[in-house]
Amino acid sequence: MLFSRRLMLGLAMAGAFAFPALAGEGPTEIDLFFPVPVDGKLARDMGTLIKEFNEGHPDIKATAVYTGSYDDTLIKTRASIKAGKPPAAVIMSANFLLDMQIENELTNLDSLIAADGSTKDQFLGQFFPALQGNAVINRSVYGVPFHNSTPLLYINADKAKEAGLDPNKPPQTWAELTDWAKKLTKREGDKVTQWGIAIPCAYDYCGWMMETLTMTNGGRYYNEEFGGEVYYDTPSMLGALTWWNDLVSKYKVHPPGATPGPAVSTSFISGNAAMMMLSTGSLTYVRENAKFNYKVAFIPRNVRNAVPIGGASLIIPAGVEADKQKAAWTLIKWMTSPEKSAWWSRATGYFAPNMAAYKTPDMVDFLNKNPDAKTAVEQLDVAKPWFATYKTVPVRKNLEDEVMLVLNGKKQPKEALVAAQKAAEETLKPYNAETSLKLP
């Protein structure tokens, strides 16, 4: 089935390039699919960005098309490819690229880079090394880092001081974080009036947070070299889920149930949660809405300091006509230039993937006034690629469904992870059957 589908996609791609659209007299019109995965005014900022691009490039007319969540964007992009009308560019969750490359749904960007007179190493060299693991597949470039993130620990500094804690010395270990959460949780009888810590768990966010906790417990979520293996039923992930569940059911310092990201940020902003783990992509939203002093810090460790990369890369889907592909490449290079990368970081809270962005005068001035924006960048020294497998979304949901059952008090961690591993291996079966050599 896989090979048949790839053959059909390959024929469709060949057809698209064999009969390119005739060049018209007007600008080349292209669509950019973009998701809004975090809090804030990202959609409005995207409109501002594309308007500036169009004003400076009269031969191209780009239209930003809002496509929902990261998962929604993948679904809509795949549907458009199958319909033969892919958008010229997409801001795609960085960890979906491996699955899309396996399915022949991505344009290999090597030839576009070479046409500019650059090498792959020179092109990638402008971005933080930690981002390259999700952009390069089989030594070819398939994505350009655009807005990227790491998880952060957000602390209500005022409430920490009230509890006798020093917000300038944030918790560095799980044990310290647990102690802080106990001291920051307030109760009136059986009712909790202030939670010590909140961690989001909804589709997409939940898998990322499980990878975060597993990595800080010394483990891995998946095989970084092979898209057919995940490590759900392992001691490191069991420890991670057990600690998360203990915060909920044993220490009762974390709200019960699986809480979506926006509900967590709302709880923090309203003062209902004194600490939260959330993406740096929500940092600008917190900065603009918190009516209290706050701090951001590294994610505390149990075994080691480590975080997964998050966020998105710019891609060109398979089957884009040659003239639109060229226009999309112009847009991608402009959006990821140091100046625009820096502007987008200041507007949203995502860190700028282009290292030169941090040397621009506006960014230097911004960081002097907002040192909290440095934390995610400093955390890149311990950052590793975001989980990426064949059928990334279903494999991720195999775990997320089970984690939600645990946080809702319906399963124990070990039972859940055994079930998640079994379900994931079933989902991965077609890829593993294809890649395993059936030698006699």
Side-chain angles (χ1 to χ4, degrees):
M1 289 297 290
L2 282 175
F3 290 121
S4 298
R5 186 182 176 194
R6 291 176 192 179
L7 177 60
M8 293 177 68
L9 276 170
L11 292 172
M13 291 164 59
F17 285 107
F19 302 100
L22 294 175
E25 294 181 354
T28 302
E29 298 189 11
I30 59 173
D31 286 338
L32 168 70
F33 279 10
F34 76 97
V36 178
V38 295
D39 307 295
K41 50 185 177 50
L42 191 148
R44 191 176 71 189
D45 294 330
M46 180 58 69
T48 301
L49 196 69
I50 295 303
K51 180 174 182 292
E52 183 182 348
F53 173 80
N54 286 335
E55 290 173 350
H57 299 79
D59 55 332
I60 301 172
K61 182 182 178 182
T63 300
V65 180
Y66 170 62
T67 44
S69 67
Y70 280 151
D71 288 3
D72 294 337
T73 299
L74 177 63
I75 292 170
K76 291 174 182 176
T77 300
R78 284 182 155 161
S80 69
I81 293 172
K82 289 179 181 175
K85 297 179 179 179
V90 183
I91 297 175
M92 184 64 71
S93 184
N95 67 330
F96 293 169
L97 270 59
L98 174 63
D99 188 28
M100 294 187 74
Q101 191 271 340
I102 290 172
E103 299 291 358
N104 280 336
E105 295 170 328
L106 289 178
T107 294
N108 185 318
L109 305 178
D110 290 356
S111 60
L112 292 166
I113 294 170
D116 289 337
S118 181
T119 67
K120 285 183 285 185
D121 287 344
Q122 288 171 337
F123 179 78
L124 290 171
Q126 60 186 315
F127 303 106
F128 284 105
L131 307 179
Q132 297 178 16
N134 285 121
V136 178
I137 303 170
N138 298 333
R139 304 178 70 179
S140 286
V141 181
Y142 285 92
V144 182
F146 172 60
H147 65 199
N148 293 97
S149 59
T150 67
L152 295 174
L153 176 65
Y154 290 76
I155 300 169
N156 185 319
D158 294 345
K159 291 185 180 297
K161 288 181 179 177
E162 289 173 9
L165 300 165
D166 184 354
N168 293 315
K169 296 179 181 177
Q172 297 184 28
T173 65
W174 288 4
E176 292 174 2
L177 180 64
T178 304
D179 182 58
W180 274 53
K182 290 177 180 176
K183 292 177 178 175
L184 287 166
T185 299
K186 294 183 178 179
R187 310 177 197 279
E188 292 180 2
D190 294 335
K191 182 182 178 183
V192 175
T193 58
Q194 177 180 296
W195 294 102
I197 178 74
I199 304 172
C201 183
Y203 285 138
D204 196 14
Y205 234 133
C206 198
W208 195 49
M209 297 314 301
M210 275 305 301
E211 183 177 21
T212 300
L213 299 180
T214 300
M215 288 172 66
T216 55
N217 200 30
R220 301 159 68 197
Y221 187 109
Y222 73 112
N223 184 342
E224 298 85 349
E225 306 295 331
F226 176 63
E229 292 178 356
V230 292
Y231 307 129
Y232 295 165
D233 184 18
T234 56
S236 55
M237 191 168 285
L238 176 61
L241 184 53
T242 298
W243 179 67
W244 194 352
N245 186 47
D246 282 351
L247 294 174
V248 175
S249 59
K250 182 178 180 181
Y251 305 119
K252 303 186 188 306
V253 298
H254 179 299
T259 310
V264 169
S265 58
T266 298
S267 181
F268 182 73
I269 292 294
S270 68
N272 192 42
M275 295 187 292
M276 66 173 180
M277 289 187 187
L278 213 64
S279 168
T280 189
S282 293
L283 182 55
T284 296
Y285 174 75
V286 171
R287 185 184 299 127
E288 293 178 348
N289 291 279
K291 307 300 182 186
F292 49 83
N293 295 306
Y294 69 92
K295 294 282 185 180
V296 295
F298 277 31
I299 295 295
R301 67 181 181 279
N302 189 40
V303 173
R304 62 175 178 178
N305 288 115
V307 289
I309 290 297
S313 297
L314 280 156
I315 64 155
I316 298 177
V320 174
E321 296 165 350
D323 58 334
K324 294 190 175 186
Q325 190 181 101
K326 184 178 178 181
W329 186 236
T330 299
L331 174 64
I332 288 172
K333 289 187 293 182
W334 183 85
M335 291 176 68
T336 56
S337 65
E339 292 75 17
K340 299 310 158 196
S341 191
W343 183 87
W344 187 252
S345 175
R346 295 193 300 273
T348 63
Y350 286 102
F351 70 81
N354 192 316
M355 292 184 286
Y358 290 93
K359 297 180 180 178
T360 59
D362 286 347
M363 198 62 165
V364 171
D365 181 59
F366 175 79
L367 291 175
N368 286 335
K369 296 175 181 174
N370 301 279
D372 55 358
K374 298 178 183 176
T375 305
V377 180
E378 293 167 347
Q379 222 173 194
L380 289 179
D381 288 342
V382 296
K384 299 182 183 302
W386 194 357
F387 62 84
T389 68
Y390 167 74
K391 299 291 183 190
T392 300
V393 174
V395 170
R396 189 198 72 214
K397 288 183 174 178
N398 291 148
L399 176 67
E400 290 171 326
D401 286 339
E402 295 295 328
V403 172
M404 291 179 195
L405 289 173
V406 172
L407 297 180
N408 281 304
K410 296 180 179 178
K411 270 193 177 182
Q412 290 302 306
K414 178 62 178 178
E415 177 189 12
L417 293 179
V418 169
Q421 183 73 40
K422 182 179 179 182
E425 288 177 357
E426 191 67 29
T427 306
L428 292 166
K429 257 186 180 178
Y431 184 67
N432 288 336
E434 180 183 326
T435 52
S436 61
L437 296 175
K438 298 176 182 177
L439 299 174

